[in-house]
PDB file of all heavy atoms in Angstrom:
ATOM      1  N   LEU A   7    -161.204-224.970  34.678  1.00 45.00           N
ATOM      2  CA  LEU A   7    -160.697-225.769  35.694  1.00 45.00           C
ATOM      3  C   LEU A   7    -159.231-225.954  35.767  1.00 45.00           C
ATOM      4  O   LEU A   7    -158.602-226.520  36.750  1.00 45.00           O
ATOM      5  CB  LEU A   7    -161.380-227.152  35.604  1.00 45.00           C
ATOM      6  CG  LEU A   7    -162.996-227.186  35.792  1.00 45.00           C
ATOM      7  CD1 LEU A   7    -163.404-228.608  35.577  1.00 45.00           C
ATOM      8  CD2 LEU A   7    -163.397-226.680  37.177  1.00 45.00           C
ATOM      9  N   GLN A  29    -156.185-244.199  43.119  1.00 66.00           N
ATOM     10  CA  GLN A  29    -157.329-244.252  43.989  1.00 66.00           C
ATOM     11  C   GLN A  29    -158.175-245.489  43.628  1.00 66.00           C
ATOM     12  O   GLN A  29    -158.195-245.939  42.484  1.00 66.00           O
ATOM     13  CB  GLN A  29    -158.328-243.123  43.565  1.00 66.00           C
ATOM     14  CG  GLN A  29    -157.604-241.696  43.934  1.00 66.00           C
ATOM     15  CD  GLN A  29    -157.410-241.546  45.300  1.00 66.00           C
ATOM     16  OE1 GLN A  29    -158.202-241.942  46.199  1.00 66.00           O
ATOM     17  NE2 GLN A  29    -156.303-240.901  45.692  1.00 66.00           N
ATOM     18  N   GLU A  43    -154.984-250.346  56.035  1.00 78.00           N
ATOM     19  CA  GLU A  43    -154.348-249.270  56.749  1.00 78.00           C
ATOM     20  C   GLU A  43    -154.636-249.373  58.138  1.00 78.00           C
ATOM     21  O   GLU A  43    -153.748-249.167  58.975  1.00 78.00           O
ATOM     22  CB  GLU A  43    -154.829-247.955  56.212  1.00 78.00           C
ATOM     23  CG  GLU A  43    -154.293-247.720  54.713  1.00 78.00           C
ATOM     24  CD  GLU A  43    -154.948-246.461  54.138  1.00 78.00           C
ATOM     25  OE1 GLU A  43    -155.761-245.721  54.745  1.00 78.00           O
ATOM     26  OE2 GLU A  43    -154.718-246.137  53.000  1.00 78.00           O
ATOM     27  N   LYS A  46    -152.323-252.076  59.642  1.00 72.00           N
ATOM     28  CA  LYS A  46    -151.017-251.669  59.688  1.00 72.00           C
ATOM     29  C   LYS A  46    -150.743-250.838  60.983  1.00 72.00           C
ATOM     30  O   LYS A  46    -149.786-250.889  61.593  1.00 72.00           O
ATOM     31  CB  LYS A  46    -150.678-250.928  58.485  1.00 72.00           C
ATOM     32  CG  LYS A  46    -149.181-250.554  58.418  1.00 72.00           C
ATOM     33  CD  LYS A  46    -148.845-249.872  57.189  1.00 72.00           C
ATOM     34  CE  LYS A  46    -147.356-249.386  57.104  1.00 72.00           C
ATOM     35  NZ  LYS A  46    -146.891-248.700  55.875  1.00 72.00           N
ATOM     36  N   TYR A  92    -136.373-254.649  78.941  1.00 94.00           N
ATOM     37  CA  TYR A  92    -135.530-255.614  78.188  1.00 94.00           C
ATOM     38  C   TYR A  92    -136.065-257.101  78.351  1.00 94.00           C
ATOM     39  O   TYR A  92    -136.707-257.399  79.223  1.00 94.00           O
ATOM     40  CB  TYR A  92    -134.222-255.532  78.739  1.00 94.00           C
ATOM     41  CG  TYR A  92    -133.334-254.257  78.347  1.00 94.00           C
ATOM     42  CD1 TYR A  92    -133.100-253.281  79.325  1.00 94.00           C
ATOM     43  CD2 TYR A  92    -132.909-254.070  77.078  1.00 94.00           C
ATOM     44  CE1 TYR A  92    -132.362-252.093  79.004  1.00 94.00           C
ATOM     45  CE2 TYR A  92    -132.183-253.017  76.897  1.00 94.00           C
ATOM     46  CZ  TYR A  92    -132.018-252.113  77.639  1.00 94.00           C
ATOM     47  OH  TYR A  92    -131.280-250.816  77.281  1.00 94.00           O
ATOM     48  N   ILE A 122    -140.626-262.446  78.535  1.00 85.00           N
ATOM     49  CA  ILE A 122    -140.477-261.665  79.821  1.00 85.00           C
ATOM     50  C   ILE A 122    -140.739-262.762  80.957  1.00 85.00           C
ATOM     51  O   ILE A 122    -141.734-263.491  80.890  1.00 85.00           O
ATOM     52  CB  ILE A 122    -141.578-260.577  79.924  1.00 85.00           C
ATOM     53  CG1 ILE A 122    -141.365-259.561  78.708  1.00 85.00           C
ATOM     54  CG2 ILE A 122    -141.621-259.882  81.211  1.00 85.00           C
ATOM     55  CD1 ILE A 122    -142.347-258.471  78.745  1.00 85.00           C
ATOM     56  N   GLU A 128    -149.023-264.593  86.954  1.00 56.00           N
ATOM     57  CA  GLU A 128    -149.076-264.542  85.444  1.00 56.00           C
ATOM     58  C   GLU A 128    -149.131-265.869  85.001  1.00 56.00           C
ATOM     59  O   GLU A 128    -148.733-266.807  85.472  1.00 56.00           O
ATOM     60  CB  GLU A 128    -147.982-263.791  85.000  1.00 56.00           C
ATOM     61  CG  GLU A 128    -148.007-262.331  84.826  1.00 56.00           C
ATOM     62  CD  GLU A 128    -146.920-261.614  84.052  1.00 56.00           C
ATOM     63  OE1 GLU A 128    -146.372-262.313  83.301  1.00 56.00           O
ATOM     64  OE2 GLU A 128    -146.618-260.448  84.370  1.00 56.00           O
ATOM     65  N   ASN A 130    -148.862-266.480  81.309  1.00 56.00           N
ATOM     66  CA  ASN A 130    -147.947-266.609  80.180  1.00 56.00           C
ATOM     67  C   ASN A 130    -146.954-265.366  80.082  1.00 56.00           C
ATOM     68  O   ASN A 130    -147.353-264.238  80.257  1.00 56.00           O
ATOM     69  CB  ASN A 130    -148.681-266.705  78.843  1.00 56.00           C
ATOM     70  CG  ASN A 130    -147.991-266.975  77.732  1.00 56.00           C
ATOM     71  OD1 ASN A 130    -146.668-267.175  77.737  1.00 56.00           O
ATOM     72  ND2 ASN A 130    -148.509-267.150  76.412  1.00 56.00           N
ATOM     73  N   GLY A 131    -145.729-265.699  79.844  1.00 54.00           N
ATOM     74  CA  GLY A 131    -144.635-264.566  79.857  1.00 54.00           C
ATOM     75  C   GLY A 131    -144.282-264.220  78.538  1.00 54.00           C
ATOM     76  O   GLY A 131    -143.444-263.325  78.397  1.00 54.00           O
TER      77      GLY A 131
END
Side-chain angles (χ1 to χ4, degrees):
L7 297 177
Q29 296 297 322
E43 288 172 6
K46 186 176 180 180
Y92 286 107
I122 297 175
E128 276 190 22
N130 191 357

